[in-house]
Amino acid sequence: MKFEQTHKDLISYLIACIMVLSGIVLAYFSFFILHLIENSILGFISLGITFAGAIFGITQILRDKFKAYEVSTNKAIIKKLKEQEEDKKEDSE
């Protein structure tokens, strides 16, 4: 089975959401069982939020950069093709 980019993004998003939700669940159980939230649980929550932010942010930045590169490349190709057509017209005249 071959993974496409959309599948890879979906898996990354799901893992990021699971990390954040697991941190929230741990904090909930810790607070209602022990009546305090341990430092290790706060650290896990912060790592989960940082990981999720990195996944969402990096994916979006890379997608925007590749789209911008694709647009600029397409414009350059179209410009070059128009120049070649103009050169052929000048040569035929």
Side-chain angles (χ1 to χ4, degrees):
M1 183 168 116
K2 182 180 176 186
F3 283 115
E4 294 181 13
Q5 188 62 37
T6 55
H7 295 112
K8 292 177 184 176
D9 288 343
L10 180 63
I11 291 170
S12 298
Y13 293 153
L14 287 174
I15 291 172
C17 291
I18 289 170
M19 285 283 294
V20 172
L21 289 175
S22 66
I24 292 170
V25 168
L26 275 173
Y28 178 80
F29 284 133
S30 174
F31 183 74
F32 285 107
I33 292 173
L34 301 174
H35 300 292
L36 63 101
I37 298 177
E38 294 288 331
N39 289 335
S40 60
I41 294 175
L42 290 175
F44 184 80
I45 293 170
S46 66
L47 286 175
I49 291 171
T50 303
F51 176 74
I55 292 296
F56 291 124
I58 288 174
T59 304
Q60 189 62 38
I61 287 171
L62 289 177
R63 187 174 293 133
D64 291 344
K65 293 288 183 185
F66 283 125
K67 281 183 183 177
Y69 177 74
E70 182 181 357
V71 168
S72 66
T73 304
N74 287 342
K75 285 181 182 179
I77 291 171
I78 290 170
K79 181 180 177 184
K80 192 69 168 176
L81 288 173
K82 286 182 181 179
E83 289 174 0
Q84 288 177 355
E85 287 177 5
E86 290 174 1
D87 288 342
K88 285 182 183 178
K89 286 181 183 177
E90 289 176 3
D91 289 341
S92 64
E93 292 177 355

